[in-house]
Amino acid sequence: MSSYIIEGGNKLEGEVNISGSKNASLPIIAASILNSNITRLYNVPNIHDTQITLEILKILGCKVTKKSDKIIIDSRKMDKTEIPEELMRQMRSSVVLAGAIVGRFKNTKISYPGGCDIGSRPIDLHLTGFRRLGIEVEEESGYIKCKCEKIIGNTIQLDFPSVGATENIMLASVLAEGETIITNAAMEPEIVDLQNMLNKMGAKIKGAGTNIVQITGVKNLKEVSYTIMPDRIEAGTFLCAGAITGGKIKLNNVNPSHLTPILHKLEECGCKIETQKCFIKLEAPKKLKAVDIKTMPYPGFPTDMQSIFVAVLAVSKGTSIIVENIFENRYKYTNELKRMGAKITVEGKTAVIKGIRRFSGANVNSTDLRGGAALVIAGLAAKGKTTVNNIEYILRGYEKLDKKLSLLGAKITLA
Ligand code: UD1
């Protein structure tokens, strides 16, 4: 297990380029299975989660060529439909591969994705959706087998606007007979990105970005080249790094409209924000102010930014109240922030944060991807040295985090 060692107290200043979106890359890489052809993807982040997804594709028989952020996937000779358990367990979101595999081969077997550090994360909505499409789903001894003669479009009402279930059902119904309509669909920008990629490949989908997505089945798909959208959570993380250090930074390769709730909260904290089509500038105040936050499905405040904002609010003036509405166990990292001096009380969904003057550097452990990023952000503003351990969690979703922060003037090294 590796660690980041951070010497806190440097204002971040300068410009940073935001990478392609992790959460858009995963379903889009899965989509490359559907066309039985060549898919060229640009702006793919080189992170653990994309590496695992590509590893699975190779095992399934796809040819994968990688050159920096460009990936070519040739799925013509793909001949396997079973995802090995050890890879499935490494990454819960590999469950979206099931929709693409069953969509093309009418057959797949995956192992049940294990629980995870931020909550139980069931996949019942994915499986109910598959069943509505005429797919037989059998669950036994930790495995899920999906098979059918053909996939037939249907209406699917999601009990909750799940991002993964919306994507999985879209993938499974692209080559279906007839029309599928997903209501109460998730509206995240990553779903719009998936729709755009699939349509460029020859699919007929409309409505992504609203709560009704309509997929008209097609018989054939074609070769495609596509550029992945920027990562809005990486962008939010850098903005928080700028804010907490009293810095002045500019993010390039971002889509500010995807960050509206994050930008508004940063403004409420006292930051000056300027946006143009593909950049965001942030100038932090001398002292940040407390704000209240409730996480919600998009376009609400993203749960993935909750922990990172809590790090910022822990050293802001006043008391902040956070309500986590998406995942039931997403406050584990607060125990680590407390080791750095934070005053946080958690009860159920709610965290109450009393702002302190400054963090003190400490030896802390990442508990999950975004919780780990929160510890790094706290370390940047702490007095003295912070060692963040178990950074494998962080490497799942951030590309060159230490290098990018160093470019902005942070003192952070990988050990
Ligand atoms: C995706 C994101 C993740 C983000 C989350 C919410 C990816 C790879 N990951 O995760 O970063 O935090 O959206 O924005 O895109 N649920 C069920 N049954 C299901 C599916 C979900 O009860 O079948 C529940 C979950 O337990 C959770 C809520 O729905 O409480 C939201 O989950 P979902 O939107 O599905 O998140 P993911 O797609 O797993």
Side-chain angles (χ1 to χ4, degrees):
M1 285 275 177
S2 342
S3 310
Y4 283 138
I5 298 171
I6 304 160
E7 202 60 57
N10 290 319
K11 276 189 185 187
L12 297 196
E13 273 173 21
E15 299 190 18
V16 64
N17 291 329
I18 297 305
S19 300
S21 161
K22 165 177 99 67
N23 287 353
S25 296
L26 304 176
I28 286 177
I29 292 175
S32 71
I33 290 174
L34 283 170
N35 65 355
S36 322
N37 211 314
I38 292 170
T39 300
R40 287 182 194 82
L41 299 175
Y42 303 90
N43 205 30
V44 181
N46 189 10
I47 51 178
H48 181 258
D49 275 11
T50 53
Q51 287 157 8
I52 294 285
T53 315
L54 292 169
E55 215 39 60
I56 297 175
L57 255 57
K58 281 193 213 163
I59 289 171
L60 296 175
C62 297
K63 194 171 158 218
V64 177
T65 324
K66 220 168 138 207
K67 204 171 168 203
S68 69
D69 70 345
K70 177 182 171 187
I71 287 169
I72 303 171
I73 302 162
D74 180 349
S75 68
R76 282 176 297 189
K77 294 197 177 140
M78 175 173 163
D79 54 358
K80 295 193 186 61
T81 56
E82 197 172 314
I83 305 181
E85 184 177 351
E86 66 279 10
L87 290 176
M88 189 75 206
R89 281 196 174 275
Q90 280 196 43
M91 210 184 75
R92 184 193 175 279
S93 45
S94 49
V95 71
V96 292
L97 289 164
I101 303 174
V102 79
R104 172 166 159 194
F105 293 94
K106 316 290 176 263
N107 186 18
T108 186
K109 182 176 168 191
I110 61 170
S111 70
Y112 214 87
C116 136
D117 272 355
I118 59 171
S120 61
R121 305 186 85 169
I123 55 163
D124 54 312
L125 302 173
H126 302 235
L127 302 184
T128 307
F130 284 179
R131 288 190 174 105
R132 296 272 308 165
L133 295 172
I135 302 167
E136 267 175 54
V137 180
E138 235 180 81
E139 295 172 75
E140 59 172 43
S141 354
Y143 282 93
I144 302 163
K145 285 188 203 161
C146 302
K147 65 171 195 307
C148 58
E149 288 287 308
K150 53 186 177 183
I151 297 178
I152 303 164
N154 202 347
T155 52
I156 297 166
Q157 158 80 17
L158 294 179
D159 289 344
F160 183 88
S162 154
V163 175
T166 305
E167 293 166 344
N168 226 344
I169 296 164
M170 283 166 75
L171 289 164
S173 46
V174 162
L175 294 168
E177 263 181 28
E179 191 175 83
T180 299
I181 297 177
I182 311 171
T183 52
N184 197 26
M187 304 195 286
E188 269 66 3
E190 291 75 14
I191 292 169
V192 180
D193 219 34
L194 176 63
Q195 167 180 281
N196 292 344
M197 183 272 188
L198 286 167
N199 283 346
K200 207 167 170 206
M201 199 193 245
K204 270 192 177 170
I205 310 179
K206 60 183 187 189
T210 74
N211 60 1
I212 301 180
V213 180
Q214 190 179 334
I215 306 116
T216 307
V218 295
K219 286 214 159 54
N220 297 302
L221 296 165
K222 55 180 193 247
E223 191 173 314
V224 64
S225 298
Y226 192 77
T227 303
I228 308 273
M229 63 176 263
D231 196 307
R232 63 194 168 102
I233 306 300
E234 187 201 15
T237 306
F238 275 95
L239 291 172
C240 287
I244 203 168
T245 58
K248 191 175 171 187
I249 60 168
K250 181 181 175 206
L251 311 186
N252 298 316
N253 183 34
V254 281
N255 183 336
S257 70
H258 294 162
L259 280 105
T260 306
I262 301 169
L263 298 179
H264 279 218
K265 286 295 164 189
L266 284 166
E267 279 180 334
E268 250 183 274
C269 287
C271 296
K272 267 195 214 148
I273 306 275
E274 185 194 328
T275 61
Q276 291 278 339
K277 200 166 164 252
C278 21
F279 74 73
I280 302 175
K281 286 182 182 171
L282 172 139
E283 193 177 339
K286 279 214 167 66
K287 187 74 192 166
L288 294 155
K289 287 183 287 203
V291 299
D292 295 339
I293 291 174
K294 287 188 175 113
T295 66
M296 302 286 267
Y298 192 85
F301 188 92
T303 173
D304 287 348
M305 283 302 298
Q306 179 255 99
S307 53
I308 296 150
F309 247 84
V310 166
V312 173
L313 297 174
V315 288
S316 298
K317 194 170 185 314
T319 300
S320 305
I321 298 174
I322 311 292
V323 183
E324 170 56 57
N325 288 311
I326 310 294
F327 291 108
E328 79 270 22
N329 190 15
R330 213 168 190 179
Y331 285 127
K332 271 194 179 168
Y333 69 90
T334 56
N335 287 328
E336 303 299 307
L337 279 184
K338 284 191 208 165
R339 293 165 65 91
M340 300 177 72
K343 288 204 169 127
I344 306 175
T345 318
V346 175
E347 206 173 306
K349 287 176 158 195
T350 307
V352 178
I353 304 150
K354 287 200 174 128
I356 57 166
R357 210 178 65 77
R358 200 168 174 192
F359 287 117
S360 320
N363 197 7
V364 287
N365 295 323
S366 306
T367 53
D368 64 272
L369 164 60
R370 306 300 172 187
L375 301 176
V376 172
I377 298 303
L380 295 175
K383 186 164 186 293
K385 185 173 107 174
T386 298
T387 304
V388 181
N389 302 306
N390 301 345
I391 64 163
E392 281 64 23
Y393 285 115
I394 303 175
L395 302 177
R396 277 187 40 212
Y398 289 93
E399 186 175 53
K400 299 185 194 140
L401 182 61
D402 52 335
K403 295 211 170 61
K404 289 186 180 184
L405 286 170
S406 299
L407 272 178
L408 294 171
K411 284 203 173 141
I412 173 168
T413 49
L414 185 72

